[in-house]
Amino acid sequence: MPFKEVLGQERARKILSAHIQKKRFHHAYLFCGPAGVGKSMAGVEFAQAIFCPHEPLGYCGDCTSCRKFAGGNHPDYQEIKTEDPTIKIETIRTLRRSLTLKPYESAYRVFLLVQAEKLTSQAANSFLKSLEEPPPHVIFILTSDNRDSLLPTILSRTFPVSFNLLPKKIIEDKLAGQIKKTQERKILAELAQGRLGFAQKLARSEDFLVRRTELLRRWTALNGASFLDVYNFVQWIMEAWSDEYEVFFQFLKLWFRDLFYWKEGERERLINTDALELLEKEVSKWEEGKLEEALLLIDNLQGKLERSINQQLAFEATLLQINSWRQ
Ligand SMILES: [Zn+2]
């Protein structure tokens, strides 16, 4: 079976298949590109293919090696992946101590390090030593959503494989197993903007469309610059979205983006196509220049929210400002 998760990433797929076919590998790969386009899934598949002795262009899915791998107990494979904001030096130290061990059953030991940009500078420097003198039986696969934040010395010692945003059609198709209604899949694919991971995350939260509708309804119903209105709106945001601010911000930004394109006369670029009436009502209240400013403020707010001690205050200040620009 050729790589199936690398769907829509033809360039990456070609490169990786060629390495599998020739059985010649780099010591370290860097899968880079936007978040949510399948880099870590591709890393997992690539690792499985490195181990599988049977399929010249990918992996068979059926041999002992493939079955162990799919069952999560291939002894020569290890993943470093965390929900935490950073990958700390202790993790890398443990990893480095294990590198000298020989593979148990394969010719290689493969390490997948997801979101390498999370390495603290200490951890990155420690990891660099392993990249500089890797044991011959070790293959590293790094993924990164933000290539520019990696040490140049890590970049220069890894073989880059670029991943792109995915076409909408592919995202729609991939969601078929999760979401039954075609219209919902379409909206999701629109909202995801080429990022399958984001679409899948949304699809997992059952009421995402209901909450989005509620968000748009509440936001457009805000009255002038009334503080009480904004205060209530912020209260609701913090109750309904505190686990998923990323999704909240994506919805809000896409809304403003649509208002902007409507003003520009580029209606074919609209994304919230199921909410045209609401958009039309809202668009008359905005000057074009203010829409750009609003988008900037929303971006800033998202960037500083994690660091701010008083999130409510941060929300209120920004939303009050934006809301005051509405006419
Ligand atoms: Zn196999």
Side-chain angles (χ1 to χ4, degrees):
M1 170 182 353
F3 299 111
K4 63 172 190 297
E5 297 295 344
V6 199
L7 210 63
Q9 303 286 357
E10 287 318 307
R11 230 171 0 146
R13 191 217 290 259
K14 263 192 200 143
I15 294 169
L16 299 178
S17 299
H19 292 197
I20 293 289
Q21 192 174 24
K22 291 184 204 140
K23 298 247 172 278
R24 290 191 52 190
F25 305 107
H26 293 270
H27 280 301
Y29 291 80
L30 176 63
F31 291 5
C32 44
V37 298
K39 300 186 296 295
S40 63
M41 292 298 285
V44 172
E45 281 207 308
F46 187 47
Q48 182 166 3
I50 291 172
F51 294 133
C52 174
H54 296 295
E55 168 64 49
L57 285 173
Y59 54 93
C60 75
D62 206 33
C63 65
T64 320
S65 166
C66 279
R67 268 188 257 149
K68 275 192 187 169
F69 192 91
N73 44 29
H74 197 294
D76 296 326
Y77 175 67
Q78 195 185 329
E79 264 179 41
I80 297 106
K81 186 179 181 179
T82 177
E83 293 293 320
D84 298 343
T86 55
I87 300 171
K88 301 215 163 59
I89 187 157
E90 292 75 27
T91 309
I92 298 303
R93 280 200 187 120
T94 315
L95 165 78
R96 293 194 62 213
R97 274 197 296 274
S98 77
L99 289 182
T100 47
L101 297 173
K102 293 272 182 300
Y104 290 96
E105 8 190 286
S106 155
Y108 299 100
R109 296 185 67 212
V110 180
F111 295 86
L112 175 65
L113 195 157
V114 176
Q115 290 185 295
E117 67 274 13
K118 284 186 174 176
L119 289 165
T120 63
S121 60
Q122 268 186 324
N125 278 307
S126 171
F127 183 65
L128 190 58
K129 289 180 205 148
S130 301
L131 276 184
E132 281 165 347
E133 292 166 24
H137 58 265
V138 164
I139 298 175
F140 292 113
I141 306 167
L142 279 63
T143 78
S144 179
D145 304 342
N146 185 3
R147 189 179 182 281
D148 295 339
S149 69
L150 299 181
L151 292 177
T153 34
I154 287 190
L155 294 180
S156 67
R157 284 180 174 78
T158 47
F159 179 83
V161 182
S162 303
F163 285 68
N164 313 310
L165 291 169
L166 295 168
K168 271 182 233 160
K169 184 76 184 74
I170 286 186
I171 295 190
E172 273 184 58
D173 292 348
K174 283 267 199 179
L175 289 172
Q178 265 176 293
I179 305 244
K180 295 283 163 279
K181 289 188 189 152
T182 320
Q183 171 68 4
E184 287 189 3
R185 284 205 296 275
K186 269 199 181 353
I187 297 174
L188 261 186
E190 290 283 0
L191 293 169
Q193 296 281 287
R195 300 181 301 152
L196 177 66
F198 185 74
Q200 286 170 328
K201 191 172 161 186
L202 286 184
R204 275 196 297 274
S205 97
E206 270 175 27
D207 61 342
F208 74 94
L209 279 178
V210 179
R211 279 191 297 153
R212 165 175 162 273
T213 310
E214 182 69 6
L215 164 63
L216 299 184
R217 191 191 66 73
R218 282 177 183 261
W219 171 249
T220 47
L222 281 187
N223 196 359
S226 147
F227 177 75
L228 188 64
D229 268 11
V230 171
Y231 174 83
N232 287 332
F233 180 55
V234 170
Q235 290 289 318
W236 175 76
I237 295 171
M238 297 189 69
E239 276 163 34
W241 298 91
S242 59
D243 297 340
E244 309 173 285
Y245 282 141
E246 190 206 352
V247 178
F248 165 82
F249 279 112
Q250 177 75 347
F251 283 158
L252 197 60
K253 283 193 271 192
L254 289 175
W255 181 254
F256 274 92
R257 178 188 172 279
D258 274 3
L259 292 173
F260 179 79
Y261 281 128
W262 191 306
K263 283 271 184 210
E264 294 267 292
E266 297 185 53
R267 303 249 313 247
E268 68 285 354
R269 300 180 74 163
L270 298 184
I271 286 170
N272 296 282
T273 47
D274 59 325
L276 289 179
E277 261 178 55
L278 213 52
L279 268 174
E280 185 166 20
K281 232 162 76 186
E282 181 75 0
V283 82
S284 60
K285 298 181 183 168
W286 285 90
E287 282 173 38
E288 197 172 303
K290 287 296 178 201
L291 285 170
E292 279 178 84
E293 279 188 54
L295 270 167
L296 268 177
L297 280 190
I298 295 168
D299 249 346
N300 281 341
L301 173 63
Q302 184 175 11
K304 75 180 178 201
L305 201 62
E306 263 185 27
R307 299 189 306 274
S308 60
I309 300 162
N310 191 335
Q311 295 191 329
Q312 183 172 344
L313 208 62
F315 266 120
E316 279 168 11
T318 303
L319 295 181
L320 206 58
Q321 174 70 65
I322 294 175
N323 197 37
S324 74
W325 290 333
R326 258 211 194 109
Q327 289 159 354

